[in-house]
Amino acid sequence: MNSLRVIISGGGTGGHIFPAVSIANEIRYRFPDADILFIGAEDRMEMERVPAAGYKIIGLPVSGFNRAQKLKNIRVLMKLNKSLRMARKIIRDFKPDVVIGVGGYASGPTLWMASSLHIPVLIQEQNSHAGVTNRLLAKRASKICVAYRGMHRFFPSDRIVITGNPVRKDLETVKDKDPGAMDYFGFQAGKPVLLVVGGSLGARTINHGVHKGLESLLCAGIQVIWQTGRYYYDTIREELKDKQYEGLWFSDFISRMDYAYAAADLVVSRAGAGTISELCLLKKPVILVPSPNVAEDHQTKNARALSDNGAAVLLPDNVAEEQLASVVIELIANGEQLRSLRENIALFAQHNSAERIVDEVMRIAVRDV
């Protein structure tokens, strides 16, 4: 019997890449001889992240449409046409049993051509507001795996399966207030901990809000784990170099996110789909500050899906810098509200998402394995 052959396409951001790699890892776990090929956009981060995870990738010259400067879309259409031709050749040469799309414009040409060549297609949509590419391709998909209820607004109801978004394996065994976690950050047991995360690059508004309110937070007895992100770390380190703050740990990157989550009583975060999935699984009260710089404002829509159900606090980006510290202090002092947020966010948790997505992949693959 020939080995299972799978193409996974999409990318552009870590929020697309991580689920894609998790799905690939689960396929390889079940079928060690599976041949897995990624297709992404040739100038985006997947061209580095995917090979680092141990998988082959081919880049297409595809790029997103320019909403501000319409004339530039002539070149975008030329790239799209070339990408469609390349995708057709890749699919014919590779002969996949199934093609998986994880969103982002990189997946468009691949999924379009796969469905045109009668290869089964599965879409994985991470957000509560479906992306343009996935909406356009929905009618060509055999299955659409989603993380939120109510996605029939965007997709055919009979093809939707709620699976959630894959999360890092090490987070599935996190234990609240693990003594090892408190020791790792040099924190005292019995005092509340705030975890601030803004993504690998950092979030300007969140960082400014924390910096502005740092003394107030520490004076309130709150210990702070602060991931500044790569763009902001040097500036923040310089600003804090002559100050000695007890109960503060900061870095551009947190290598032990399992410990960070274990220590945290409250989280401040952007509202990316992957992070929200982790917070739901771990039942962490969160203040979400959606980024205003994402396509179709989907982070605000992700945040509202939780905040409208009492599962998160939504703090708009345009007021976060001034209000962040006071909102944190008030919330951390309100044990009843923290408990309610924890209970409500747990209702959105989806367990074993990668496994459930691969179950759907195998149901539509064109062969019996």
Side-chain angles (χ1 to χ4, degrees):
M1 181 186 294
N2 294 329
S3 63
L4 178 68
R5 303 177 69 80
V6 180
I7 286 177
I8 303 177
S9 186
T13 67
H16 290 127
I17 297 165
F18 180 79
V21 171
S22 295
I23 293 166
N25 289 344
E26 177 63 21
I27 292 171
R28 183 150 286 172
Y29 173 76
R30 295 192 197 186
F31 307 100
D33 296 329
D35 199 352
I36 301 171
L37 174 66
F38 280 74
I39 300 177
E42 63 184 9
D43 60 347
R44 301 306 296 267
M45 67 171 69
E46 57 262 29
M47 301 307 294
E48 295 181 4
R49 296 278 184 89
V50 169
Y55 296 99
K56 298 175 289 186
I57 186 168
I58 298 174
L60 302 178
V62 64
S63 61
F65 281 93
N66 191 317
R67 294 181 175 89
Q69 297 174 285
K70 300 274 194 324
L71 284 176
K72 289 191 174 181
N73 288 326
I74 295 172
R75 182 165 175 77
V76 172
L77 288 170
M78 292 171 64
K79 288 183 176 182
L80 177 59
N81 188 47
K82 182 178 179 181
S83 297
L84 285 164
R85 294 198 307 270
M86 288 178 63
R88 178 186 287 271
K89 185 177 189 311
I90 293 166
I91 292 167
R92 282 180 165 167
D93 290 346
F94 188 78
K95 298 180 175 61
D97 300 301
V98 64
V99 174
I100 302 165
V102 295
Y105 54 76
S107 66
T110 307
L111 269 64
W112 184 274
M113 279 301 167
S115 62
S116 298
L117 295 169
H118 307 293
I119 307 295
V121 165
L122 178 141
I123 288 173
Q124 199 254 331
E125 172 59 60
Q126 296 96 34
N127 293 295
S128 65
H129 186 89
V132 172
T133 302
N134 282 350
R135 294 203 304 266
L136 290 172
L137 293 166
K139 290 183 179 178
R140 291 173 167 255
S142 300
K143 288 286 181 182
I144 303 167
C145 295
V146 301
Y148 293 88
R149 296 179 180 86
M151 296 302 284
H152 59 275
R153 294 172 294 157
F154 309 107
F155 303 132
S157 298
D158 60 338
R159 300 176 205 181
I160 294 173
V161 183
I162 298 178
T163 58
N165 293 320
V167 302
R168 289 167 279 196
K169 286 288 185 184
D170 62 332
L171 299 183
E172 295 180 2
T173 56
V174 166
K175 295 179 181 176
D176 265 348
K177 294 302 176 183
D178 183 335
M182 299 298 279
D183 290 343
Y184 180 85
F185 295 106
F187 286 171
Q188 296 179 35
K191 293 180 70 174
V193 176
L194 171 70
L195 168 62
V196 181
V197 287
S200 59
L201 300 181
R204 177 186 173 279
T205 304
I206 292 176
N207 281 333
H208 284 193
V210 173
H211 187 244
K212 190 170 286 190
L214 186 57
E215 292 192 9
S216 297
L217 292 167
L218 297 173
C219 286
I222 299 169
Q223 302 175 107
V224 180
I225 303 169
W226 182 6
Q227 182 198 16
T228 65
R230 192 166 70 243
Y231 282 175
Y232 301 91
Y233 177 68
D234 288 340
T235 300
I236 292 169
R237 182 179 59 181
E238 183 66 23
E239 290 172 344
L240 299 181
K241 70 176 182 179
D242 296 325
K243 300 177 180 177
Q244 297 295 323
Y245 287 130
E246 185 178 341
L248 170 65
W249 185 99
F250 73 97
S251 180
D252 60 332
F253 179 74
I254 303 173
S255 58
R256 290 300 304 264
M257 276 304 296
D258 56 334
Y259 275 171
Y261 279 132
D265 296 283
L266 176 65
V267 180
V268 171
S269 175
R270 288 302 198 191
T275 300
I276 286 179
S277 293
E278 293 175 355
L279 294 166
C280 293
L281 193 67
L282 296 170
K283 308 174 187 175
K284 288 293 171 181
V286 61
I287 298 169
L288 294 171
V289 185
S291 170
N293 305 312
V294 295
E296 302 182 84
D297 199 23
H298 70 249
Q299 284 204 6
T300 296
K301 290 156 186 166
N302 288 348
R304 282 184 179 148
L306 268 63
S307 65
D308 288 351
N309 290 280
V313 173
L314 194 165
L315 188 62
D317 187 84
N318 62 354
V319 300
E321 188 172 324
E322 296 299 327
Q323 297 181 17
L324 182 59
S326 60
V327 173
V328 167
I329 292 167
E330 182 179 344
L331 181 54
I332 249 176
N334 189 334
E336 185 175 337
Q337 188 177 2
L338 285 178
R339 189 161 47 251
S340 176
L341 287 169
R342 191 177 297 113
E343 291 172 355
N344 291 337
I345 201 169
L347 300 176
F348 286 81
Q350 296 289 338
H351 297 264
N352 305 314
S353 294
E355 293 92 328
R356 292 159 64 188
I357 291 167
V358 174
D359 286 344
E360 298 302 323
V361 169
M362 300 320 303
R363 288 190 179 102
I364 66 170
V366 293
R367 61 199 296 282
D368 183 23
V369 294

